[in-house]
Amino acid sequence: MHTWRCMSASLAIGDFSRATHLTVKTLRHYHETGLLEPAQIDPQTGYRRYTTDQIPIAQIIKRFRDLDMPLIEIRAVLSAPDVQARNDLIAAHLKRLENDLARTNAAVASLRNLLEHPAPEVDIGRRRADEVTAAAINEAVHVKDALSWYLGALGELHAALSAQQINPTGPAGGIFSNAIFSHAHGEATVFVPCDGKVRAIGRVASRVVPAVELATLVHKGSHANIDLAYGSLATYVTRHALAIEGPLREYYLVGPQQTSDASAWRTEIGWPIFQTA
């Protein structure tokens, strides 16, 4: 009688699939990965059976997967030692979803702006950037980490100058190798011109930034759409200047050190050229 009650409370994999709206293929995958194992497996046929008590767990898994939670994180949630640990894992995933949604909304807004509004006229300049002594941080950077790396490096540079009582003599700048754009990974330098040689500390070192002739364009606002400014500058240089090989420059005329309002940022982009007329 005990065996019959157990079997009456169990479902074949097809019935369990219909009860949970998880495909048989998905259930087999969850079994293989250890996320949701059958209550019974027939040793001769290999048929899987699930209990009705497993339906709520399957429903929870389905909802987490609908929110794109990776299987390894779902497993961690289900095996969390207490409610607080479980909630912390779920909250962390929801935060990532919110960040992804914000990036998606920004991309949609940018695309809509491109489609609905013609490219504005841009003011292209030319100038010579003189050689300067600067406090600098130089590292190999992946393009997806470039913005966060730049913000961290900039804060570290200003902290080092302040600690050594050295005054900046101009806006901070960045030098970006061609490999960052062509291979998504390459050498990057953030620097702050200063009136003395900085002592090396942490990642910060003294560096001479060489002179260069540049075609320039000032990008207004955050770096979210800075690629559009790069495109405009490249178009100008291709048509009206002699471009030379060399890393691109950025000068942060107004940046996070001056204001937390990204819409007020002003970034001068410099494309190396050979000045003629």
Side-chain angles (χ1 to χ4, degrees):
M1 291 296 292
H2 175 73
T3 301
W4 170 251
R5 285 198 300 271
C6 180
M7 291 301 293
S8 67
S10 71
L11 302 168
I13 190 171
D15 292 331
F16 193 73
S17 171
R18 286 189 285 273
T20 60
H21 290 194
L22 294 172
T23 67
V24 169
K25 180 180 179 181
T26 297
L27 289 170
R28 287 173 177 160
H29 179 60
Y30 289 172
H31 176 201
E32 292 167 358
T33 59
L35 181 62
L36 181 60
E37 298 184 0
Q40 301 170 347
I41 303 175
D42 189 295
Q44 294 182 333
T45 64
Y47 290 163
R48 300 168 173 87
R49 296 192 70 86
Y50 297 81
T51 68
T52 53
D53 291 340
Q54 290 178 288
I55 291 176
I57 299 298
Q59 292 170 336
I60 290 171
I61 292 172
K62 183 177 186 300
R63 277 152 182 77
F64 282 142
R65 288 300 294 146
D66 288 343
L67 291 174
D68 294 324
M69 182 179 282
L71 296 186
I72 190 171
E73 293 186 17
I74 297 176
R75 189 180 298 112
V77 169
L78 296 179
S79 61
D82 52 55
V83 174
Q84 185 60 53
R86 178 190 302 165
N87 289 344
D88 288 344
L89 290 168
I90 296 172
H93 182 68
L94 293 177
K95 182 63 177 178
R96 287 193 295 272
L97 288 178
E98 290 171 351
N99 292 338
D100 290 343
L101 181 60
R103 284 192 293 270
T104 299
N105 288 338
V108 169
S110 177
L111 179 57
R112 182 173 289 116
N113 185 63
L114 276 174
L115 295 174
E116 296 177 355
H117 303 286
E121 292 292 328
V122 292
D123 185 14
I124 307 291
R126 298 189 185 197
R127 74 178 182 90
R128 174 184 171 83
D130 293 328
E131 177 182 292
V132 295
T133 299
I137 293 176
N138 175 262
E139 287 183 332
V141 177
H142 195 283
V143 68
K144 68 180 179 62
D145 302 321
L147 180 57
S148 59
W149 177 84
Y150 142 74
L151 292 171
L154 202 55
E156 192 172 335
L157 287 169
H158 281 284
L161 290 178
S162 177
Q164 298 183 34
Q165 298 182 332
I166 297 175
N167 296 319
T169 56
I175 303 174
F176 301 98
S177 67
N178 295 334
I180 288 182
F181 303 97
S182 56
H183 301 296
H185 186 271
E187 187 175 284
T189 302
V190 172
F191 64 90
V192 177
C194 52
D195 61 5
K197 187 173 182 180
V198 67
R199 296 191 308 275
I201 179 171
R203 298 187 298 169
V204 178
S206 184
R207 181 185 180 113
V208 174
V209 179
V212 65
E213 293 174 344
L214 300 168
T216 63
L217 182 156
V218 176
H219 170 73
K220 300 177 180 179
S222 76
H223 292 186
N225 291 324
I226 201 169
D227 60 310
L228 304 182
Y230 269 85
S232 297
L233 187 58
T235 300
Y236 170 86
V237 169
T238 301
R239 293 175 179 174
H240 304 293
L242 295 177
I244 62 173
E245 287 294 324
L248 299 180
R249 296 271 184 104
E250 290 182 357
Y251 288 91
Y252 310 111
L253 309 180
V254 180
Q257 296 299 315
Q258 289 78 36
T259 175
S260 59
D261 180 7
S263 66
W265 293 358
R266 298 293 181 266
T267 305
E268 182 189 54
I269 305 167
W271 197 290
I273 61 172
F274 182 75
Q275 188 75 279
T276 53

